[in-house]
Structure formats: C-alpha cells, structure tokens
Amino acid sequence: MSLTSDDVAKIAHLARLGINTQDTEAYAKSLSGILDLIAQMNTINTDHITPMAHPLDQIQRLRPDQVTESNQREHFQAIAPQVAEGLYLVPKVIE
Amino acid sequence: MSYADEQDWEVVIGLEIHTQLATQSKIFSGAATAYGAEPNTQACTVDLGFPGVLPVLNQEAVRMAVKFGCAIDAEIAPYSIFARKNYFYPDLPKGYQISQMDLPIVGKGHLDIEVDGESKRVGITRAHLEEDAGKSLHEDFHGLTGIDLNRAGTPLLEIVSEPDMRSAKEAVAYMRKLHELVRYLEISDGNMQEGSFRCDANVSVRPRGQQQFGTRTEIKNINSFRFIEKAINYEVERHIEILERGGKITQETRLYDSVKDETRSMRSKEEANDYRYFPDPDLLPVMIAPELLAEIKSQLPELPSSKKQRFKEQYQLDNESATILTSARELADFFETVVKLSACDAKICSNWITGELLGALNKASLEIAASPVSAERFAGLLQRIADNTISGKIAKQVFEAMWQSEESADAIIAAQGLQQITDMSAIEAIIDTIIADNPGQVEQYRSGKDKVFAFFVGQVMKQSQGKANPAEVNKMLKAKLQ
Amino acid sequence: MYQQTIAQLALGLRQGTFTSVELTQAYLTRIKQHSELNSFITVTEEQALQAAKAADLRLAQGNAEPLTGIPLAQKDIFCTLGVKTSCGSKILDNFIAPYNATVVEKFNAAGAVMLGKLNMDEFAMGSSNETSFYGAVKNPWDLNCVPGGSSGGSAAAVAAHLVAGATGTDTGGSIRQPAALCGITGLKPTYGRVSRYGMIAYASSLDQGGPMTRTAEDAAIMLQVMAGFDPKDSTSSDQAVPDYSASLNAPLQGLKIGLPKEFFTADLDSEIAATLAAAIDEYRKMGAEIKEISMPNLNMAIPAYYIIAPAEASANLSRFDGVRFGYRCSNPVDLTDLYTRSRGEAFGNEVKRRILIGTYALSAGYYDAYYLKAQKIRRLISEDFKNALAEVDVIMGPVTPSTAFAIGEKSNDPIQMYLSDIYTIAINLAGVPAMSIPAGLVNNKPVGLQIIGNYFAEAKLLNVAHQFQQVTPWHQHSPKGFE
C-alpha cells in the first residue's frame, strides 16, 4: 500500500492538520512504509474472529443522575486563548 | 402547493428527530442540564473536553431510552455500544460526538399516526443515545463567533424513522405523535422553542409507480410543526421543478429559512461527511438485563393510543374528543379527575373541557398544566350543572369568574345569587304574569303557531335572569298554555 | 540519603534520621545538579517543600502512610491542578491543568511529595524520548544514548536518583522499555487497575499508568496507592486491590515460567539472550519450572498496534483545536485556518504521523481492512496470552531487542523505532500486567527482564520480581556519576 502526496493532503485536511506542502512527500513515504508493516496483518486469517475493543470483559457501569458539578467558568476560562462575555471566541462560523 | 403535475410524483419523507432527555445531569458528566443558564456556567471539565477527562454514562438516560423503545414496541438491544463520530466544529469540544452507530440501544419499532381519519403505521428504524453539542452565537464579537457549551453533553435520543411518510401532512402527524409520546413518557419536556425536540427531514420525490427512491436532500434543524410542513412542501416543489426541467437533485444538507420560507444549501456541512465512526474505547458495552427491561415495561404509563381507545369505550366519547383529550397526558388526567369528582356525564365533561376550557387556554396561550382553573375547581363547576343548581348558560358565566379568581364555583354562585330557581311557585308566578301580559301571543300559540313557544321561554328566562330551570319552565309553560 | 529505596526512606523518616523537608531539599539540589539529563519539564520546588512540611507534621502526629513525605515525580501526562501539564507537547506548553488526575489525588492524599513533572515523548508517542517538545532526555548510563520512551524522563530520573520513584504510563511499552534501558524496575498494571482519569489519553484501550522505581518492593508501595476503582473512569476495574507488599516474600518453589519461543529468535541480540538465560537460571535455582511455550500470534502485535493506537489517538487528539485551552495560532483567518495551523504548528512530526495513520485507517472504505482486522488480531493475541497463562504462572522474555541506542540513531526511521517495542506491545493489546526488572549489564548498559502475568496478578509479578532482587545485585547498580 502506498500513499501519494495527494492522499496525505486529503487525510491531513480530514484531521485538520496543517502540513507544509514540501513535507507531504516525506510523509507519504513514511506512511507508506508504516502501511507496509501493517499489511502483515493480512498474512493471517481472521474470519469468524470477534473483534476485541476492550481488554477486559466488563460492562458499562452507570452513574446515578445527579448534578455533582458547579460553575467554574472563570477558573476554566483563565487558560482559554480568547473569551468574551463568558463565551469562547472563534473565527466566524458560516453555516 | 399548486403543482399541476404533482399527481405524477410521489413524495418520500423520513424524519430524524432529536429529543433532549429530561435528566437532571448530562449524559456523560455531572453538570446540570437546566436551560437558560449564563454561558458556559454549566460546562464542566468533561463537557469542555479537557485533556484527560473521561465519560461516565448516566443511568437515567439509558432508562429513558429503554422506556421509549418499549413504548414503540421496539427490540431493545441487550448489548449496545457507543461510538465516536469524528468531525471538527467549535461547538463540539472533543472533535468527536459520542453517539451510537452499530448496535443502538433501541432497534426496530413503529408508531401509528392518523391523517384525515385514516390510520397509518410509520416504521421506526432505530433510536440511539448521543450527546448534544454546544451552541454557536453569531452576534458580532468583532467579527468572531461566541461558543456556549452549556448544552454540550445534554442527553439526546435520536429517533430515526423509515422513509414511510408520503406527504408533509403525514410528516407533521408523525412528529406530533412522537412529541406527544415523549411527553407522555415524561422522558422529554418537548419544548421546541428551547430546542428539546428538533427535526431533520430527508425528502425525495419519485415518479409515481417507481420502486427506486429519488435522490434525497436533508433539511436540518427544524423546530416547529408549522415550519416542518412548510419546509418539506418547499423542498418537494423544488425537487419537482428541477426534475421536470430535466435537472438532477444534488444530495446535500439544507437549511430552512422561516423568514423567507425557503431552503438553502448548507455549505459548511458538505465536506465533513467522513465521520470515521469507531467504538469509543472510553466506554464499555451497555447491557440491558432482562430484569431491568421487565421493570421498565411494568412501569410504562398507559400510552396515548390505548388511552384513546379506552376513553372511547369507557366514556362513550367520539373519536375527535377522545383524540383531543388524550393528546397530552396532563389533559387526559384533567379530564378523568373532572369526571370522577363532578359525577357529571362524561360527555358533558368532555364538551366543557374541549370547548370552554381549551378555548380559554388557547386564547391565553397556556398549557393545560398551567390552567388557572384546576381540575378540582372545574369539577366543582360541572357538579353544579349536574345537580341543576345552575344552567349551562350560567355555568359559562361562573367559569369566566373562576378564570379571573381563586374562588370555587359554589362561592361564586352564592355571591352572585346565580343558583337556579327550583321553587316551582316562583316560576309559576312568573309564567302566570307573562301569559296575562301577552294575550296576542297566547292566541297565536293556541291557534297552532308552535314557534311562539320559544318567545315564552325567552321571556321566562329573561324575567328569572336565567336562573329558572329550562326543563321545568318548558314543562310548566306547555301545561299552562294548553 | 537519595540513594535509598522508598522502603528505606520511609523507615528513615519514621526513625527521624532525616525529615521530609531535608530529603526534599536533597532531591531538589540533585535535580538542579543534573539538569543535563533534561528529565524534568517542570520542577515544583515551592509546592514540594510545602508538601514536605505537611508530611513532616503528619509523620510527627503518627498518622503517616508508607508514602508520606517521600519525594516522587509525575510523568507530565498526569494533570496536576495549577501546574503546567504539557504532555511533552508545544500544544500544551501553556496548559495549567484545572484539575488533578485521580492518581495525583491519591498520591496527595497519601502525603507523597511531588518534586515536579517529568519529560516524555510528545503525547507518549515514541520509544526514545526524542519526540518531546522539550528536547531529548539523556540516559544516565551513557549520555549519548536515549533513556527509552515514552516515560524516558521518569526512567532517567529514577536511575540517576533524582527522585525516589516516579509514575509512568505504558501504551505499548512506555514504562517497561525505558525501565529496561535505564536499569530500573517498571510495572505496567492490568488494564483498568489504575484510573486513567486525568491521564492525558494517547490510546484509551491500551493506556495504563504504573510505578517506576528502583525495586519491586518500592513498586508494590507505589502501586498500592495508585491502584483501585475510580467512578470517574468507566474502564477502571472494581476488583479488590490486594496488599501488594504482603506477598513479596512468598517462595517461588514450583513457580511455572513460560518462555515463548517467538521471543527467543535470532532477532534478539545474543548478549541480551545470554543475560536473560542467566537470569532465568536464577529462577531455576529458586525452584521454578521453566517451560518453552508458543504464542503464535505475537508477531502480529506491531501491525495491529499501529492501527489501533493511532486510530484511537487520532480521535483523542482532536480536542487540541486552539479553542478552549492550549496553543492557538496567531491571527487565524477562518475556522479551518484556526484548526489546521494551531495543530500543524504545535504537534510534532511523530504525533502528526500517528494522527494521519489513524485518520486514514478509520476513513470511509478502509475501516474493515484496517481497524476491524486489527481488533480481530487483538483477540487472537489475547487468546494466546490466556492459553499460555492457563499453562504457566508467568511468562518471561526480553523487554527490548537491544540496549540503549544512540540519540539520533533511529529518530528518522519510524519503523526501526517502532520495532524497539516488539516485545512489549502484545502485552498492552491483551491488557495483562507486566514488569521490567534489571537483569544484567551488556557493555555497561542495562538489560531488562520482562515478567508477564495473568489479569490482576500484579502481586504475583511483584513477588517474582522481588525474589529475583533478593538474590541478584542488578537493581542496586547506579550509573557512573550518579551514584
């Protein structure tokens, strides 16, 4: 499996990762190498094997429906890049 | 809708309804869900997606979803899983929404709707739990958008229908029915202004008789019954117009503009459609034990459709009255309380509630729960009709007074001296006087002009200030005029 | 006093040989003296001294716990209230955590003294500590060599006696591999044994925090505090936590040790193989039965891991978007620009590489071939462990294919770097606990022995490790210049 610079640009956009155009070639090369390593998976048959998402055979524990958190806006927003009137600010969202 | 060729096209509609569940805390955190708080004061570390935080599932959200599943006769997944839906948007703090993809908590079910007296079954494909996103506020912050994450993490049940609806009217009927149901089950307040009940509509048209579906468009985030009908109708017209011109429908997401009454393409949603769903490793499979399922089933309230059937049978109500009275659980309860306490005929109770009471509530834009006249006070009024203390006409006067005050019907009747005259001698005296004063009309009646009878009734009621019992008046007048 | 183990220091504090403040000051001085190792990102001197004072009070009042007054440090992946928590990344360089990780809360409650935050590979993605935004950490055994990663700062600091013990996290070997390369003891507990709340996620289904110490006895003391159910972590286990120190001295007579033949192939450095053979011989002398076993799917661990971990990471790292915390690019022109530049400018190459791989593996059309396939292989690997551990009590093998390599040697070759975790990754996929303990020196560089146990058998691992340390000197060796 080998990826092109174009593929890398597309994936990078999906992941909102800025990558310099001069670097996409290098990424394409190293990612292709990694995909070759990964391709070893195809050497074994996994038909009828149940996928494993978690190491432990546990079920989800449920939390009682109780309000346990109080307002800490000033504390949380003290580390925010840009806020005004209690809101986080971002460049204009166009719908 | 004024398309001549509309007959040639069949409309296909499927709805995705997001209903906020009425839990106290969020689906994955202990922050409050109350509406209307100051921005970001109900967003905790988990809701804000701070590094290192983890979600823990709210048991009430799960119970509510199961309750809904039971109410639509759906299969409840014994084992369901949460997945991450990945996309970047500023109101989505983690860059993914925790939702369900494979193995949703509620599987296939159905809901019966009624349109123009015809009953129709709409399939429900699935209903799954997910977290709501925050809100983008577009007021001008020097050209920036403000983000409020109070809503982020509010539990949502997304209810996905089959593409079973064939008109905007059916879509509205389905949406109303679902709205009624979630409120009946008390799993959502259904407040559409506050966004507790929102609808996305998938719309397509196809030539009548064609098996294959046409290309669909999705209209996002419609939050009123009126707008859903208008938005769908607009979209249907748009599709037909394009197809008749020989054009093609682009599969896309559109937004309904209620001011202009039109839909427009939502460009921002277009590119990000590769959501890269995968099971959320922070959450484990949710198991619904058979005991829990049985417990929830046993606690299920009587549902609108069976309540309606019961009302028709038990109270001998017509379909329309039964439909109105069962449209909300509070209204149905109001009716049954009134019947029980007033010992009044159920049909009279029904007429008074659907007529006077709902009329007054409507005028004042009030819900039944906020009625100034409680079921107990209302029953007190109807009781006085049943025992002939007052006539229906006087009762309307009493009701108006009750609406304005806290007084009971009896207190108002007593204070204003409105009780019917049941003293027969008093009525007889009035009748005698009227007969004596109107010899001409007496002559006419006796010569066969039956219509004049009404004149006498009117005179008696007038003189008694409406307090004479009409039945008694009729009986005595007939005897005296013979 | 800084040469002592946690167990010895705890005794000294109780006997009044020294106070926690004196001990803390001694370590703080040492940290300054050995800044060339670059093992700390943040030193919390003032807070440490305050905590030490409080600990001395507690000791005087006689209500101290085993860790009260003991100077430790946290890997900079654990959120610490009011203290910068960078995760080794530029994107969190300005992040003052607004809350404490559960592990941190537990150490605070136990009265431990936090000296600071330890250097690490960026977002725990790396096996050499070279991906840190704060620069490479140096191996005290050879300053030209890497300490391993991602918990490289932790391993180097413990090896150089800059701290009495440290936390690490292990997603594919990040506790064990640096422990091996720095000649210390590292334990990766069973997945779910230690709360992940407040531990910045790399790959959520694999990440697990654990202790890094000089001895197994110390690891038992630290794990005792770290382990346990946390209602804030849905994946944490509610199994009862045993007394890890109680069983350290159980005899190993009749212990069944399995040696997977897949671990002992020609790929393993012959000198390391010889060192391990000698170590296993020690166990034989203690009465253990040694048995060759086979775990046929072990060689699939690296390919499966490099799908699962990056896939989870690609989503876990989406929250770093320049909106609510962390690095934001200057003057973003629009939303996409805000996202792509903030992330592009502040994530390092290896992080980007893994986000790209993960994004690709999950994207439309590739999910089944990559992610689902990897999860199926994960099942096969975990079955291998279950089968093997039904047969033997513990599995032993190498931790690393070589001793510490030179800084820069593999940093431009991701695949070579990935292969340095070839013996550790399968353990994370299965979720079982494993340790690395010092087993000898090759060319004056430490070699680790890996001990793998059954789910929640940490007490057994600590017992097996401790018994080895009763009869061998390797855990007592200190690198030259750091004695």
Side-chain angles (χ1 to χ4, degrees):
Chain A
M1 188 74 205
S2 81
L3 295 178
T4 64
S5 294
D6 266 6
D7 295 329
V8 170
K10 268 183 219 148
I11 304 163
H13 178 68
L14 205 52
R16 298 296 184 275
L17 263 188
I19 284 176
N20 295 330
T21 13
Q22 67 265 30
D23 294 340
T24 49
E25 189 64 40
Y27 274 109
K29 208 174 148 221
S30 69
L31 295 181
S32 299
I34 297 166
L35 289 176
D36 285 340
L37 179 74
I38 288 163
Q40 289 174 18
M41 293 198 301
N42 299 325
T43 59
I44 58 170
N45 185 320
T46 50
D47 297 347
H48 316 297
I49 305 291
T50 317
M52 175 172 153
H54 286 283
L56 301 180
D57 237 356
Q58 281 182 180
I59 58 160
Q60 179 62 35
R61 201 177 44 254
L62 303 177
R63 177 178 62 79
D65 181 23
Q66 281 161 4
V67 176
T68 54
E69 303 299 316
S70 52
N71 175 23
Q72 292 195 69
R73 185 176 77 185
E74 309 319 316
H75 179 48
F76 294 155
Q77 292 194 340
I79 52 168
Q82 200 179 1
V83 288
E85 295 170 37
L87 298 163
Y88 292 99
L89 296 186
V90 296
K92 200 145 198 82
V93 173
I94 303 146
E95 290 208 332
Chain B
M1 288 275 296
S2 54
Y3 266 77
D5 306 323
E6 199 192 312
Q7 295 306 313
D8 304 337
W9 298 94
E10 185 179 39
V11 178
V12 175
I13 303 159
L15 298 184
E16 287 167 23
I17 288 175
H18 290 83
T19 185
Q20 282 184 353
L21 297 177
T23 54
Q24 296 300 305
S25 64
K26 296 198 174 161
I27 183 167
F28 298 119
S29 84
T33 54
Y35 181 82
E38 284 292 302
N40 292 310
T41 56
Q42 286 179 173
C44 70
T45 50
V46 173
D47 309 322
L48 293 169
F50 273 121
V53 298
L54 296 169
V56 185
L57 184 57
N58 184 336
Q59 67 177 12
E60 205 47 39
V62 173
R63 289 183 74 101
M64 285 175 172
V66 172
K67 211 166 163 187
F68 175 79
C70 293
I72 60 158
D73 242 335
E75 305 150 20
I76 304 297
Y79 180 94
S80 80
I81 59 170
F82 283 93
R84 293 182 181 179
K85 178 182 182 181
N86 295 284
Y87 65 95
F88 284 88
Y89 210 66
D91 63 14
L92 186 72
K94 300 185 297 297
Y96 60 84
Q97 180 193 30
I98 306 178
S99 180
Q100 298 195 289
M101 182 61 174
D102 298 328
L103 304 176
I105 189 153
V106 176
K108 269 189 189 305
H110 57 81
L111 196 65
D112 293 334
I113 60 167
E114 215 171 273
V115 175
D116 300 330
E118 300 265 316
S119 181
K120 173 169 180 164
R121 176 158 288 191
V122 176
I124 290 177
T125 318
R126 57 184 279 159
H128 66 254
L129 283 168
E130 61 184 26
E131 56 180 344
D132 208 344
K135 275 182 190 164
S136 303
L137 296 151
H138 302 291
E139 291 104 66
D140 199 28
F141 293 97
H142 309 286
L144 301 170
T145 292
I147 307 295
D148 174 9
L149 296 169
N150 279 347
R151 197 179 69 178
T154 300
L156 287 179
L157 189 65
E158 179 174 339
I159 305 158
V160 183
S161 85
E162 293 286 318
D164 283 353
M165 287 152 279
R166 292 294 172 267
S167 67
K169 228 172 164 181
E170 285 186 9
V172 172
Y174 167 81
M175 195 172 161
R176 279 190 188 280
K177 192 81 201 224
L178 207 57
H179 186 251
E180 173 188 293
L181 181 63
V182 296
R183 296 179 67 208
Y184 247 84
L185 295 170
E186 293 174 328
I187 61 173
S188 176
D189 65 15
N191 191 321
M192 297 170 88
Q193 275 78 45
E194 294 177 2
S196 299
F197 194 83
R198 326 194 281 268
C199 181
D200 300 342
N202 285 298
V203 178
S204 68
V205 300
R206 61 181 170 192
R208 233 166 246 294
Q210 180 181 299
Q211 273 293 312
Q212 206 191 337
F213 290 134
T215 304
R216 66 188 160 88
T217 52
E218 183 181 12
I219 320 169
K220 276 266 178 215
N221 261 335
I222 320 166
N223 62 353
S224 98
F225 296 120
R226 202 157 59 91
F227 293 159
I228 190 91
E229 185 158 12
K230 286 182 145 197
I232 291 174
N233 282 335
Y234 176 89
E235 198 55 17
V236 165
E237 277 191 48
R238 197 180 67 86
H239 281 215
I240 293 174
E241 194 186 82
I242 292 172
L243 293 171
E244 292 197 340
R245 270 203 325 250
K248 270 195 172 139
I249 305 296
T250 315
Q251 185 169 342
E252 62 179 353
T253 305
R254 298 178 71 85
L255 199 65
Y256 177 67
D257 182 332
S258 58
V259 179
K260 292 183 185 159
D261 186 23
E262 61 178 35
T263 66
R264 61 181 160 81
S265 186
M266 260 173 106
R267 265 175 223 102
S268 61
K269 293 269 176 187
E270 281 324 287
E271 48 185 29
N273 50 6
D274 191 346
Y275 291 126
R276 292 161 281 136
Y277 279 97
F278 75 104
D280 190 332
D282 287 333
L283 291 160
L284 300 166
V286 178
M287 297 276 241
I288 305 297
E291 303 81 51
L292 177 68
L293 191 58
E295 185 202 318
I296 291 172
K297 264 187 187 156
S298 70
Q299 291 168 357
L300 220 54
E302 185 182 22
L303 298 177
S305 50
S306 37
K307 202 184 271 284
K308 180 173 151 187
Q309 200 50 45
R310 179 168 68 81
F311 274 24
K312 282 159 85 171
E313 285 161 17
Q314 185 177 339
Y315 301 115
Q316 304 293 306
L317 299 183
D318 58 64
N319 189 57
E320 200 193 336
S321 306
T323 306
I324 295 172
L325 289 175
T326 55
S327 66
R329 197 163 150 186
E330 295 92 340
L331 184 58
D333 290 347
F334 193 101
F335 167 74
E336 294 209 273
T337 308
V338 169
V339 171
K340 203 173 130 201
L341 296 180
S342 69
C344 195
D345 180 67
K347 273 190 209 165
I348 293 177
C349 296
S350 160
N351 288 343
W352 269 84
I353 292 172
T354 56
E356 292 305 306
L357 181 67
L358 288 186
L361 288 170
N362 230 341
K363 227 162 128 187
S365 298
L366 290 174
E367 294 286 326
I368 183 72
S371 170
V373 181
S374 69
E376 289 72 19
R377 283 173 76 215
F378 200 74
L381 173 67
L382 297 195
Q383 205 173 350
R384 295 297 161 254
I385 301 175
D387 67 12
N388 283 329
T389 307
I390 52 171
S391 67
K393 203 174 158 197
I394 293 288
K396 286 181 188 177
Q397 199 181 323
V398 177
F399 174 70
E400 273 168 35
M402 290 172 80
W403 187 269
Q404 305 294 341
S405 74
E406 303 275 305
E407 301 286 331
S408 70
D410 283 348
I412 291 165
I413 292 166
Q416 300 190 14
L418 296 173
Q419 57 269 46
Q420 286 192 118
I421 301 166
T422 41
D423 176 356
M424 293 314 289
S425 60
I427 293 174
E428 191 172 4
I430 294 170
I431 288 175
D432 287 345
T433 317
I434 289 169
I435 287 174
D437 289 354
N438 296 285
Q441 277 82 354
V442 174
E443 196 52 44
Q444 283 178 19
Y445 179 78
R446 289 193 174 138
S447 63
K449 269 199 161 181
D450 287 354
K451 276 185 184 165
V452 187
F453 189 73
F455 163 78
F456 288 104
V457 175
Q459 288 298 309
V460 177
M461 295 312 278
K462 193 176 163 191
Q463 299 230 349
S464 70
Q465 292 170 313
K467 292 185 283 186
N469 182 321
E472 293 301 332
V473 170
N474 275 3
K475 219 163 92 187
M476 190 171 289
L477 258 179
K478 276 210 172 114
K480 294 260 179 190
L481 286 170
Q482 213 80 81
Chain C
M1 51 190 135
Y2 55 79
Q3 299 95 332
Q4 298 180 28
T5 65
I6 291 173
Q8 290 162 341
L9 291 174
L11 199 65
L13 286 170
R14 273 163 189 71
Q15 291 172 341
T17 318
F18 42 78
T19 64
S20 175
V21 170
E22 286 165 358
L23 189 59
T24 302
Q25 264 158 345
Y27 277 116
L28 287 168
T29 307
R30 231 182 127 68
I31 291 168
K32 279 178 206 153
Q33 282 169 348
H34 291 291
S35 58
E36 80 275 14
L37 290 179
N38 196 27
S39 57
F40 275 81
I41 291 173
T42 306
V43 180
T44 49
E45 183 165 350
E46 234 170 86
Q47 283 163 273
L49 289 168
Q50 267 178 22
K53 260 185 225 164
D56 281 334
L57 198 67
R58 242 177 109 168
L59 283 153
Q61 287 165 345
N63 61 353
E65 294 176 39
L67 278 179
T68 305
I70 305 290
L72 305 173
Q74 300 284 354
K75 182 176 181 179
D76 208 18
I77 200 168
F78 289 98
C79 284
T80 41
L81 175 66
V83 175
K84 177 165 111 173
T85 302
S86 74
C87 221
S89 182
K90 179 181 178 182
I91 213 158
L92 287 179
D93 184 44
N94 61 2
F95 180 67
I96 309 298
Y99 74 104
N100 272 331
T102 296
V103 161
V104 173
E105 287 281 327
K106 287 183 164 215
F107 279 123
N108 287 348
V113 173
M114 183 179 88
L115 295 169
K117 306 294 293 290
L118 295 160
N119 205 344
M120 55 180 284
D121 277 300
E122 184 180 9
F123 285 102
M125 298 178 188
S127 308
S128 67
N129 226 298
E130 292 165 291
T131 73
S132 170
F133 172 63
Y134 302 92
V137 174
K138 295 183 174 117
N139 191 322
W141 289 90
D142 179 344
L143 298 180
N144 294 315
C145 284
V146 303
S150 64
S151 314
S154 306
V158 172
H161 300 290
L162 305 190
V163 293
T167 54
T169 62
D170 191 316
T171 305
S174 283
I175 286 175
R176 293 159 288 157
Q177 186 254 17
L181 300 192
C182 290
I184 64 161
T185 300
L187 167 61
K188 180 209 92 77
T190 308
Y191 180 84
R193 182 69 295 179
V194 171
S195 168
R196 291 189 297 115
Y197 184 79
M199 194 177 104
I200 299 174
Y202 158 24
S204 312
S205 77
L206 301 160
D207 294 344
Q208 184 62 201
M212 298 177 77
T213 53
R214 304 201 61 81
T215 65
E217 187 184 17
D218 285 0
I221 297 169
M222 277 185 74
L223 182 64
Q224 200 71 50
V225 170
M226 297 174 81
F229 170 70
D230 182 4
K232 290 177 181 160
D233 177 0
S234 298
T235 62
S236 88
S237 168
D238 55 8
Q239 283 225 14
V241 177
D243 182 342
Y244 293 117
S245 300
S247 50
L248 289 174
N249 290 313
L252 298 188
Q253 186 65 43
L255 179 81
K256 285 187 199 141
I257 298 173
L259 304 179
K261 62 177 190 204
E262 292 79 6
F263 272 172
F264 297 91
T265 63
D267 293 336
L268 182 62
D269 176 277
S270 63
E271 287 176 300
I272 289 180
T275 307
L276 297 182
I280 287 157
D281 230 31
E282 291 293 338
Y283 280 106
R284 195 175 280 122
K285 281 187 225 161
M286 287 186 271
E289 291 170 32
I290 317 293
K291 195 174 166 184
E292 189 190 84
I293 55 170
S294 174
M295 301 176 70
N297 298 296
L298 282 184
N299 62 342
M300 285 295 126
I302 285 198
Y305 176 89
Y306 278 99
I307 287 298
I308 291 170
E312 293 181 5
S314 73
N316 283 334
L317 270 58
S318 292
R319 68 191 64 201
F320 303 101
D321 59 3
V323 176
R324 296 164 316 288
F325 48 78
Y327 179 84
R328 169 182 257 186
C329 66
S330 56
N331 306 316
V333 297
D334 58 23
L335 258 185
T336 306
D337 189 42
L338 166 73
Y339 290 146
T340 53
R341 274 207 293 128
S342 296
R343 293 161 62 77
E345 291 168 10
F347 283 141
N349 280 342
E350 184 56 27
V351 171
K352 283 183 191 162
R353 198 152 30 226
R354 294 197 196 184
I355 290 175
L356 291 172
I357 282 285
T359 303
Y360 176 72
L362 292 173
S363 62
Y366 297 104
Y367 182 83
D368 286 6
Y370 287 117
Y371 190 75
L372 215 58
K373 178 88 183 175
Q375 281 201 326
K376 290 177 174 183
I377 288 176
R378 185 173 187 180
R379 171 84 56 196
L380 292 174
I381 289 169
S382 108
E383 293 299 326
D384 273 5
F385 278 97
K386 280 180 188 155
N387 294 338
L389 290 162
E391 235 182 291
V392 297
D393 299 314
V394 293
I395 298 165
M396 288 191 186
V399 183
T400 56
S402 71
T403 54
F405 46 91
I407 292 172
E409 187 182 324
K410 298 183 182 178
S411 51
N412 291 319
D413 187 346
I415 295 191
Q416 276 315 302
M417 190 68 88
Y418 297 171
L419 292 175
S420 39
D421 291 331
I422 193 160
Y423 301 116
T424 49
I425 272 179
I427 284 85
N428 298 79
L429 290 170
V432 293
M435 285 185 84
S436 169
I437 56 171
L441 294 169
V442 168
N443 301 324
N444 202 39
K445 284 196 250 175
V447 172
L449 167 70
Q450 187 168 210
I451 314 170
I452 305 155
N454 219 329
Y455 295 94
F456 300 101
E458 286 81 4
K460 171 61 77 184
L461 292 186
L462 289 162
N463 167 224
V464 171
H466 181 69
Q467 289 307 304
F468 184 77
Q469 294 180 341
Q470 297 306 101
V471 297
T472 58
W474 308 114
H475 61 289
Q476 292 163 340
H477 286 241
S478 293
K480 231 187 212 106
F482 296 92
E483 297 92 346

